[in-house]
């Protein structure tokens, strides 16, 4: 179901040249939510605002960085008893292939992010925050820095913000092009000036994060959703979208569609509606074949639904009509992730598409864990061998076995991020892989290779 009259929140006024200034943001009611929250006193014992944490819990906001973890619950896990300073790390690394929403928020609506940061920092009793921004984001970085300068000048960052008596400092920190620095503990290692190596969890950052102090790590879109929650009220916000899948989602649609782009809407929408109605259908008049629903690390969906089962054991026959929310996709053995929808039409060679993916993940493995470092290399070699027409009988079993041994055995989830697509591609499009192994070429006539 497409909610036709839905008014975008994050992208309200986006793409309007100059729309990103403080003046324009305030004309639309900007910073009213932060003023309201900063007027709330913190609990002296814990230096936080339990009522606001409850409010965020009530809104059902789930983290937009990929895992969909409930934000209010994450904030309640912060070690408020610790005597150490607390920190906020804003995740603007956005490196998952297909994902391109945070950069647009930072470019076109940076004050909404800063307002969300203020709400989070005051609620969790934090004085210092960092925006870890992907190194390649040059224009985005400039917009962020300009917006922060405006906020400091207006007294919306710095000392005694809105007369609250509290200080809020935010520092931008540029990454250097490593995908792994989007993983929260890798991000924190990099922020501290070390190599961006992820760390074993627990302890989670909420207990021991930056400089071994309690740290909230949230995605740009997650934090930018907070002003809307405060303005609208958690109850009303929670009612946008299906139950437990609240708020608007920004679908980043790329690949073989007529109108690729970013589309903000409630999560009622089905995949078919998103592709056919919102994105103008599949390009070149062809049919959809495979769609990755949530960024390249999420298991691919087979549009005709053949060849695999849902987690309840039932055959899925119509994946195209699947609802694009966290819970529905999880039940279909995939994930909404960062809502980066990568569309492949019938002329796509799935072997070539997978080869593209495994090369990326092998290159980005930080190398700390043997199953990830070696496993991703083996996967690249095996898929590459098949792709070059030199596949051998048994290669598909070896692929699945290697992928199976990588999941759940490593420090961070990058290993799963490559194992999951391999498992899904080979299982759901097995006939294409078998044909390639047997004949040394794609079964698709005149395929598009990626
Ligand atoms: C390999 C890997 C890469 C990640 N990359 C990003 C990223 O680019 N941006 C992001 O927000 N989260 C990324 N995450 C998720 C973060 O670890 C973390 O869960 C997220 O920033 C938490 O914010 P949220 O609760 O607001 O979603 C990544 C996770 C993994 C395992
Ligand atoms: S799983 Fe891979 S990326 Fe993550 S810590 Fe281990 S080697 Fe590094």
């Amino acid at each position: 179901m497409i909610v036709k009259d839905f008014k975008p929140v994050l992208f309200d006024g986006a793409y309007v040249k100059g729309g990103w200034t403080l003046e324009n943001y305030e004309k639309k009611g900007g910073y009213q939510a932060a003023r309201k929250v900063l007027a709330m006193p913190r609990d002296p014992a814990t230096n936080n605002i339990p009522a606001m944490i409850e409010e965020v819990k009530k809104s059902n906001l789930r983290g937009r960085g990929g895992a969909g973890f409930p934000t209010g619950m994450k904030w309640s896990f912060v070690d408020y008893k610790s005597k150490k300073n607390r920190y906020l790390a804003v995740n603007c690394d956005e490196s998952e292939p297909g994902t391109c929403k945070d950069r647009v928020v930072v470019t076109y609506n940076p004050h909404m992010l800063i307002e969300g940061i203020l709400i989070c920092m005051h609620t969790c009793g934090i004085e210092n925050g960092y925006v870890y921004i992907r190194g390649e984001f040059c224009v985005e970085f400039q917009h962020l820095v300009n917006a922060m300068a405006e906020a400091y000048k207006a007294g919306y960052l710095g000392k005694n913000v809105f007369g609250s008596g509290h200080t809020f400092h935010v520092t931008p920190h540029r990454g250097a092009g490593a995908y792994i620095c989007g993983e929260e503990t890798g991000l924190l290692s990099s922020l501290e000036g070390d190599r961006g190596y992820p760390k074993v969890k627990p302890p989670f950052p909420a207990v021991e994060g930056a400089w071994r102090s309690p740290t909230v790590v949230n995605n740009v879109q997650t934090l930018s959703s907070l002003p809307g929650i405060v303005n609208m009220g958690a109850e009303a916000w929670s009612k946008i979208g299906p139950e437990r899948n609240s708020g608007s989602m920004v679908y980043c649609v790329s690949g073989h569609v007529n109108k690729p782009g970013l589309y903000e809407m409630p999560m009622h929408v089905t995949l078919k509606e998103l592709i056919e109605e919102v994105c103008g259908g599949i390009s070149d008049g062809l049919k959809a074949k495979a769609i990755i629903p949530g960024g390249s690390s999420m298991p691919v969906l087979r549009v005709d639904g053949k060849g695999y089962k849902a987690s309840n054991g039932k055959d899925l026959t119509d994946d195209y009509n699947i609802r694009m929310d966290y819970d529905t996709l999880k039940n279909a053995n995939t994930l909404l992730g960062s809502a980066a929808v990568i569309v492949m039409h019938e002329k796509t060679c799935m072997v070539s598409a997978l080869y593209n993916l495994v090369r990326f993940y092998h290159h980005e493995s930080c190398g700390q864990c043997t199953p990830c470092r070696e496993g991703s290399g083996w996967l690249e070699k095996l898929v590459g061998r098949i792709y070059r027409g030199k596949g051998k009988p048994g290669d598909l079993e070896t692929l699945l076995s290697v992928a199976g041994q990588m999941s759940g055995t490593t420090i961070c989830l990058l290993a799963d991020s490559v194992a999951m697509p391999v498992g899904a591609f080979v299982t759901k499009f097995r006939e294409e892989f078998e044909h390639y192994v047997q004949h040394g070429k794609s079964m698709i006539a005149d395929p598009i290779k990626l």
Side-chain angles (χ1 to χ4, degrees):
M1 178 183 60
I2 300 179
V3 181
K4 299 259 192 244
D5 55 357
F6 179 73
K7 189 172 173 298
V9 184
L10 289 166
F11 289 171
D12 179 24
Y15 306 117
V16 180
K17 196 159 184 233
W20 48 77
T21 61
L22 177 60
E23 189 188 345
N24 281 331
Y25 186 62
E26 290 200 285
K27 271 191 205 151
K28 291 185 291 182
Y31 287 103
Q32 291 308 321
R35 283 176 195 277
K36 201 167 148 188
V37 174
L38 265 63
M40 294 166 81
R42 291 188 195 150
D43 181 332
T46 50
N47 194 28
N48 68 3
I49 310 175
M52 254 319 284
I53 297 177
E54 281 312 305
E55 190 73 357
V56 176
K57 278 188 188 168
K58 207 167 30 159
S59 74
N60 281 331
L61 172 64
R62 291 165 76 162
R64 304 302 202 229
F69 192 81
T71 306
M73 198 183 290
K74 181 182 272 187
W75 292 6
S76 69
F77 291 159
V78 173
D79 182 2
Y80 292 110
K81 293 200 189 99
S82 168
K83 297 269 177 285
K84 293 179 178 174
N85 287 333
R86 294 168 205 155
Y87 297 103
L88 168 67
V90 182
N91 195 338
C92 186
D93 197 52
E94 191 161 73
S95 307
E96 176 81 357
T99 316
C100 49
K101 60 189 174 62
D102 297 339
R103 62 186 301 178
V104 177
V105 174
V106 169
T107 308
Y108 292 98
N109 215 350
H111 283 289
M112 192 172 269
L113 171 63
I114 296 171
E115 187 173 15
I117 289 174
L118 276 173
I119 294 170
C120 169
M121 287 171 84
H122 186 50
T123 303
C124 300
I126 297 171
E127 195 169 291
N128 283 293
Y130 298 86
V131 182
Y132 190 99
I133 181 163
R134 180 175 167 167
E136 293 93 332
F137 287 174
C138 297
V139 174
E140 296 82 348
F141 176 73
Q142 208 47 59
H143 277 232
L144 175 69
V145 169
N146 291 348
M148 280 173 47
E150 282 184 308
Y152 268 108
K153 197 167 166 209
Y156 298 176
L157 286 174
K159 288 188 178 156
N160 192 23
V161 174
F162 304 139
S164 63
H166 294 292
T167 300
F168 301 97
H169 285 302
V170 180
T171 309
H173 181 101
R174 299 186 79 172
Y179 169 71
I180 197 55
C181 291
E183 194 281 335
E184 56 188 6
T185 56
L187 181 154
L188 295 175
S189 300
S190 171
L191 184 66
E192 290 171 3
D194 289 336
R195 188 177 280 216
Y197 276 161
K199 298 190 189 86
V200 175
K201 292 184 270 189
F204 288 91
V207 175
E208 201 177 296
W211 299 283
R212 310 200 85 169
S213 304
T215 304
V216 173
V217 184
N218 272 135
N219 168 264
V220 164
Q221 192 192 344
T222 312
L223 293 164
S224 306
S225 302
L226 295 167
I229 293 173
V230 175
N231 288 329
M232 206 180 279
E235 182 89 31
W237 200 87
S238 74
K239 296 213 163 84
I240 303 171
E243 209 183 337
R244 279 180 32 89
N245 295 273
S246 305
S248 59
M249 181 51 76
V250 178
Y251 297 99
C252 321
V253 189
S254 63
H256 301 147
V257 287
N258 286 318
K259 289 193 287 172
L262 299 179
Y263 298 97
E264 183 182 355
M265 56 188 65
M267 289 179 258
H268 291 294
V269 69
T270 67
L271 189 50
K272 190 173 179 182
E273 287 166 340
L274 187 62
I275 305 301
E276 303 289 340
E277 295 180 42
V278 180
C279 298
I282 300 293
S283 48
D284 300 324
L286 295 169
K287 281 195 200 135
K289 169 169 152 180
I291 301 179
I292 303 177
S296 62
S297 54
M298 301 307 158
V300 64
L301 290 166
R302 182 167 170 150
V303 170
D304 66 10
K306 282 184 200 145
Y308 68 108
K309 293 179 187 299
S311 50
N312 58 10
K314 286 193 185 147
D315 282 323
L316 284 181
T317 50
D318 188 4
D319 257 4
Y320 212 20
N321 277 309
I322 201 159
R323 199 167 71 187
M324 291 292 286
D325 69 40
Y326 292 105
D327 297 334
T328 309
L329 286 167
K330 193 164 178 219
N331 192 39
N333 287 336
T334 183
L335 293 164
L336 181 58
S338 54
V341 181
I342 303 170
V343 183
M344 291 169 264
H345 65 38
E346 55 191 314
K347 284 281 180 191
T348 312
C349 169
M350 297 309 279
V351 175
S352 139
L354 183 62
Y355 187 39
N356 203 342
L357 286 189
V358 290
R359 286 205 315 269
F360 171 78
Y361 287 104
H362 178 215
H363 181 262
E364 296 300 329
S365 165
C366 84
Q368 283 189 94
C369 320
T370 308
C372 176
R373 184 186 62 240
E374 302 301 320
S376 60
W378 287 10
L379 293 176
E380 182 185 338
K381 281 189 189 142
L382 278 162
V383 182
R385 181 159 89 187
I386 299 172
Y387 176 71
R388 284 187 290 273
K390 307 269 185 231
K392 294 188 178 149
D395 273 0
L396 300 187
E397 267 51 54
T398 313
L399 264 179
L400 291 173
S401 162
V402 172
Q405 290 175 68
M406 289 169 70
S407 288
T409 57
T410 53
I411 294 174
C412 87
L413 286 174
L414 187 138
D416 299 66
S417 301
V418 58
M420 285 194 298
V422 167
F425 267 72
V426 176
T427 314
K428 294 177 187 175
F429 295 92
R430 181 142 189 139
E431 72 279 17
E432 272 196 47
F433 282 82
E434 280 175 352
H435 185 283
Y436 220 125
V437 172
Q438 277 169 22
H439 303 280
K441 60 177 185 176
S442 178
M443 70 185 272
I444 313 291
D446 198 14
I448 290 200
K449 294 204 171 186
L450 300 170

mmCIF file of all heavy atoms in Angstrom, residues 90-110:
data_model
loop_
_atom_site.group_PDB
_atom_site.id
_atom_site.type_symbol
_atom_site.label_atom_id
_atom_site.label_comp_id
_atom_site.label_asym_id
_atom_site.label_seq_id
_atom_site.Cartn_x
_atom_site.Cartn_y
_atom_site.Cartn_z
ATOM 1 N N VAL A 90 28.331 9.802 15.770
ATOM 2 C CA VAL A 90 27.320 9.765 14.699
ATOM 3 C C VAL A 90 27.929 9.044 13.508
ATOM 4 O O VAL A 90 28.988 9.441 13.011
ATOM 5 C CB VAL A 90 26.907 11.204 14.291
ATOM 6 C CG1 VAL A 90 25.830 11.154 13.219
ATOM 7 C CG2 VAL A 90 26.455 11.996 15.504
ATOM 8 N N ASN A 91 27.248 8.000 13.075
ATOM 9 C CA ASN A 91 27.792 7.186 11.989
ATOM 10 C C ASN A 91 27.350 7.739 10.634
ATOM 11 O O ASN A 91 26.205 7.580 10.221
ATOM 12 C CB ASN A 91 27.328 5.737 12.155
ATOM 13 C CG ASN A 91 28.137 4.775 11.303
ATOM 14 O OD1 ASN A 91 28.744 5.166 10.320
ATOM 15 N ND2 ASN A 91 28.125 3.510 11.695
ATOM 16 N N CYS A 92 28.280 8.439 9.976
ATOM 17 C CA CYS A 92 28.019 8.948 8.620
ATOM 18 C C CYS A 92 29.069 8.361 7.686
ATOM 19 O O CYS A 92 29.603 9.042 6.828
ATOM 20 C CB CYS A 92 28.038 10.480 8.619
ATOM 21 S SG CYS A 92 27.548 11.165 7.020
ATOM 22 N N ASP A 93 29.385 7.085 7.903
ATOM 23 C CA ASP A 93 30.402 6.463 7.056
ATOM 24 C C ASP A 93 29.781 5.969 5.740
ATOM 25 O O ASP A 93 30.442 5.959 4.702
ATOM 26 C CB ASP A 93 31.087 5.312 7.792
ATOM 27 C CG ASP A 93 32.387 4.942 7.115
ATOM 28 O OD1 ASP A 93 33.195 5.857 6.885
ATOM 29 O OD2 ASP A 93 32.588 3.769 6.772
ATOM 30 N N GLU A 94 28.565 5.557 5.816
ATOM 31 C CA GLU A 94 27.745 5.170 4.648
ATOM 32 C C GLU A 94 28.533 4.579 3.470
ATOM 33 O O GLU A 94 28.667 5.209 2.422
ATOM 34 C CB GLU A 94 26.935 6.378 4.158
ATOM 35 C CG GLU A 94 25.887 5.950 3.142
ATOM 36 C CD GLU A 94 24.773 6.961 2.966
ATOM 37 O OE1 GLU A 94 25.008 8.001 2.376
ATOM 38 O OE2 GLU A 94 23.650 6.683 3.440
ATOM 39 N N SER A 95 29.016 3.367 3.675
ATOM 40 C CA SER A 95 29.810 2.734 2.614
ATOM 41 C C SER A 95 29.168 1.487 2.036
ATOM 42 O O SER A 95 29.720 0.883 1.125
ATOM 43 C CB SER A 95 31.188 2.360 3.152
ATOM 44 O OG SER A 95 31.802 3.465 3.747
ATOM 45 N N GLU A 96 28.050 1.049 2.608
ATOM 46 C CA GLU A 96 27.415 -0.173 2.110
ATOM 47 C C GLU A 96 26.963 0.041 0.667
ATOM 48 O O GLU A 96 26.204 0.980 0.387
ATOM 49 C CB GLU A 96 26.196 -0.490 3.000
ATOM 50 C CG GLU A 96 25.358 -1.679 2.577
ATOM 51 C CD GLU A 96 25.936 -3.019 3.013
ATOM 52 O OE1 GLU A 96 27.039 -3.039 3.619
ATOM 53 O OE2 GLU A 96 25.301 -4.043 2.738
ATOM 54 N N PRO A 97 27.435 -0.764 -0.275
ATOM 55 C CA PRO A 97 27.046 -0.528 -1.662
ATOM 56 C C PRO A 97 25.523 -0.428 -1.827
ATOM 57 O O PRO A 97 24.781 -1.250 -1.298
ATOM 58 C CB PRO A 97 27.609 -1.757 -2.380
ATOM 59 C CG PRO A 97 28.807 -2.122 -1.578
ATOM 60 C CD PRO A 97 28.397 -1.867 -0.150
ATOM 61 N N GLY A 98 25.112 0.593 -2.517
ATOM 62 C CA GLY A 98 23.681 0.830 -2.748
ATOM 63 C C GLY A 98 23.092 1.869 -1.816
ATOM 64 O O GLY A 98 22.023 2.412 -2.077
ATOM 65 N N THR A 99 23.775 2.161 -0.720
ATOM 66 C CA THR A 99 23.214 3.077 0.280
ATOM 67 C C THR A 99 23.692 4.506 0.024
ATOM 68 O O THR A 99 24.894 4.738 -0.128
ATOM 69 C CB THR A 99 23.655 2.641 1.695
ATOM 70 O OG1 THR A 99 23.527 1.231 1.786
ATOM 71 C CG2 THR A 99 22.826 3.306 2.759
ATOM 72 N N CYS A 100 22.755 5.434 -0.039
ATOM 73 C CA CYS A 100 23.164 6.808 -0.375
ATOM 74 C C CYS A 100 22.178 7.813 0.217
ATOM 75 O O CYS A 100 21.843 8.799 -0.404
ATOM 76 C CB CYS A 100 23.240 6.975 -1.889
ATOM 77 S SG CYS A 100 21.779 6.356 -2.739
ATOM 78 N N LYS A 101 21.691 7.546 1.422
ATOM 79 C CA LYS A 101 20.680 8.416 2.033
ATOM 80 C C LYS A 101 21.298 9.417 3.021
ATOM 81 O O LYS A 101 20.944 10.585 3.010
ATOM 82 C CB LYS A 101 19.625 7.572 2.750
ATOM 83 C CG LYS A 101 20.247 6.722 3.856
ATOM 84 C CD LYS A 101 19.344 5.710 4.466
ATOM 85 C CE LYS A 101 20.032 4.805 5.441
ATOM 86 N NZ LYS A 101 20.632 5.397 6.627
ATOM 87 N N ASP A 102 22.263 8.945 3.838
ATOM 88 C CA ASP A 102 22.824 9.809 4.879
ATOM 89 C C ASP A 102 23.528 11.017 4.258
ATOM 90 O O ASP A 102 23.457 12.129 4.771
ATOM 91 C CB ASP A 102 23.815 9.032 5.758
ATOM 92 C CG ASP A 102 23.138 7.893 6.502
ATOM 93 O OD1 ASP A 102 21.907 7.953 6.659
ATOM 94 O OD2 ASP A 102 23.830 6.945 6.912
ATOM 95 N N ARG A 103 24.191 10.753 3.138
ATOM 96 C CA ARG A 103 24.910 11.856 2.486
ATOM 97 C C ARG A 103 23.941 12.946 2.027
ATOM 98 O O ARG A 103 24.272 14.123 2.020
ATOM 99 C CB ARG A 103 25.731 11.339 1.312
ATOM 100 C CG ARG A 103 24.884 10.716 0.217
ATOM 101 C CD ARG A 103 25.706 10.091 -0.871
ATOM 102 N NE ARG A 103 26.576 11.043 -1.513
ATOM 103 C CZ ARG A 103 27.430 10.740 -2.486
ATOM 104 N NH1 ARG A 103 27.528 9.495 -2.916
ATOM 105 N NH2 ARG A 103 28.179 11.649 -3.039
ATOM 106 N N VAL A 104 22.716 12.533 1.660
ATOM 107 C CA VAL A 104 21.732 13.512 1.186
ATOM 108 C C VAL A 104 21.155 14.290 2.375
ATOM 109 O O VAL A 104 20.952 15.495 2.306
ATOM 110 C CB VAL A 104 20.627 12.814 0.355
ATOM 111 C CG1 VAL A 104 19.558 13.793 -0.071
ATOM 112 C CG2 VAL A 104 21.246 12.161 -0.865
ATOM 113 N N VAL A 105 20.943 13.596 3.486
ATOM 114 C CA VAL A 105 20.475 14.294 4.696
ATOM 115 C C VAL A 105 21.511 15.336 5.119
ATOM 116 O O VAL A 105 21.187 16.495 5.382
ATOM 117 C CB VAL A 105 20.207 13.286 5.846
ATOM 118 C CG1 VAL A 105 19.864 14.019 7.134
ATOM 119 C CG2 VAL A 105 19.087 12.315 5.475
ATOM 120 N N VAL A 106 22.786 14.912 5.148
ATOM 121 C CA VAL A 106 23.851 15.825 5.590
ATOM 122 C C VAL A 106 23.991 17.012 4.631
ATOM 123 O O VAL A 106 24.235 18.135 5.049
ATOM 124 C CB VAL A 106 25.191 15.057 5.727
ATOM 125 C CG1 VAL A 106 26.346 16.009 5.919
ATOM 126 C CG2 VAL A 106 25.119 14.103 6.895
ATOM 127 N N THR A 107 23.800 16.750 3.358
ATOM 128 C CA THR A 107 23.950 17.834 2.378
ATOM 129 C C THR A 107 22.759 18.790 2.410
ATOM 130 O O THR A 107 22.938 20.009 2.433
ATOM 131 C CB THR A 107 24.070 17.249 0.948
ATOM 132 O OG1 THR A 107 25.091 16.271 0.950
ATOM 133 C CG2 THR A 107 24.403 18.331 -0.071
ATOM 134 N N TYR A 108 21.566 18.234 2.399
ATOM 135 C CA TYR A 108 20.381 19.084 2.199
ATOM 136 C C TYR A 108 19.622 19.418 3.474
ATOM 137 O O TYR A 108 18.801 20.328 3.477
ATOM 138 C CB TYR A 108 19.424 18.415 1.194
ATOM 139 C CG TYR A 108 19.991 18.377 -0.198
ATOM 140 C CD1 TYR A 108 20.618 17.239 -0.684
ATOM 141 C CD2 TYR A 108 19.941 19.502 -1.015
ATOM 142 C CE1 TYR A 108 21.161 17.209 -1.960
ATOM 143 C CE2 TYR A 108 20.482 19.485 -2.293
ATOM 144 C CZ TYR A 108 21.087 18.337 -2.759
ATOM 145 O OH TYR A 108 21.633 18.318 -4.012
ATOM 146 N N ASN A 109 19.850 18.651 4.519
ATOM 147 C CA ASN A 109 19.100 18.905 5.747
ATOM 148 C C ASN A 109 20.007 18.783 6.981
ATOM 149 O O ASN A 109 19.651 18.118 7.960
ATOM 150 C CB ASN A 109 17.946 17.894 5.837
ATOM 151 C CG ASN A 109 16.719 18.491 6.468
ATOM 152 O OD1 ASN A 109 16.775 19.593 7.007
ATOM 153 N ND2 ASN A 109 15.615 17.764 6.445
ATOM 154 N N PRO A 110 21.190 19.422 6.953
ATOM 155 C CA PRO A 110 22.157 19.179 8.028
ATOM 156 C C PRO A 110 21.671 19.653 9.396
ATOM 157 O O PRO A 110 22.058 19.084 10.421
ATOM 158 C CB PRO A 110 23.394 19.986 7.593
ATOM 159 C CG PRO A 110 22.873 21.031 6.666
ATOM 160 C CD PRO A 110 21.678 20.425 5.981
#
